[in-house]
């Protein structure tokens, strides 16, 4: 497992749409393990492959200390409610703001072995899932609020 470089705001790669994972092979295992190592080292709670420069629809989220959820090619099946709370991002170091997100999401995705599964998430975990899924479509949390857009403008990045 290796640590990879985090792509930060201002780099065009973050704005690209990631492609589905087609092969559940050794290169995916290496990618996921590297993403996890990188996230832990940087003290993140979630990471999308695009954040290490790989445009594939793969996400890891920390559930609790030492327990991780791997989400490949996720689809949102259902959302409920809306709540605003603080967010940050490894790709936007040092900036945090409140972002509205669904309070509940139901997702269908694949694990690293290519097995399909569904899961439900609420509150903090629902927020993490939505934040990471936005990364797969080139969307960052700073796009979603006035405060975030102001931050981008002040820093001259899009
Ligand atoms: Ni992020």
């Amino acid at each position: 497992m290796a640590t990879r470089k985090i792509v930060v705001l201002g780099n065009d790669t973050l704005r690209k749409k990631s492609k589905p994972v087609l092969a559940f092979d050794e290169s995916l295992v290496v990618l996921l393990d590297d993403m996890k190592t990188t996230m832990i080292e940087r003290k993140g709670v979630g990471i999308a492959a695009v954040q290490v420069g790989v445009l594939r629809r793969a996400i890891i989220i920390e559930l609790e200390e030492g327990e991780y959820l791997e989400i490949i090619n996720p689809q949102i099946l259902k959302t409920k409610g809306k709540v605003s709370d603080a967010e940050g991002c490894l790709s936007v170091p040092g900036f945090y703001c409140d972002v509205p997100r669904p309070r509940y999401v139901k997702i269908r995705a694949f694990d690293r072995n290519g097995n399909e599964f569904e899961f439900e998430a609420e509150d903090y975990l629902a927020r993490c899932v939505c934040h990471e899924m936005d990364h797969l479509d080139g969307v960052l949390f700073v796009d979603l609020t006035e405060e975030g857009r102001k931050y981008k403008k002040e820093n001259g990045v899009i």
Side-chain angles (χ1 to χ4, degrees), residues 46 51 88-91 131-132 135 140-141:
Q51 293 182 272
C89 179
L90 290 177
S91 295
H131 175 116
E132 299 309 330
H135 274 299
L140 298 171
F141 79 111

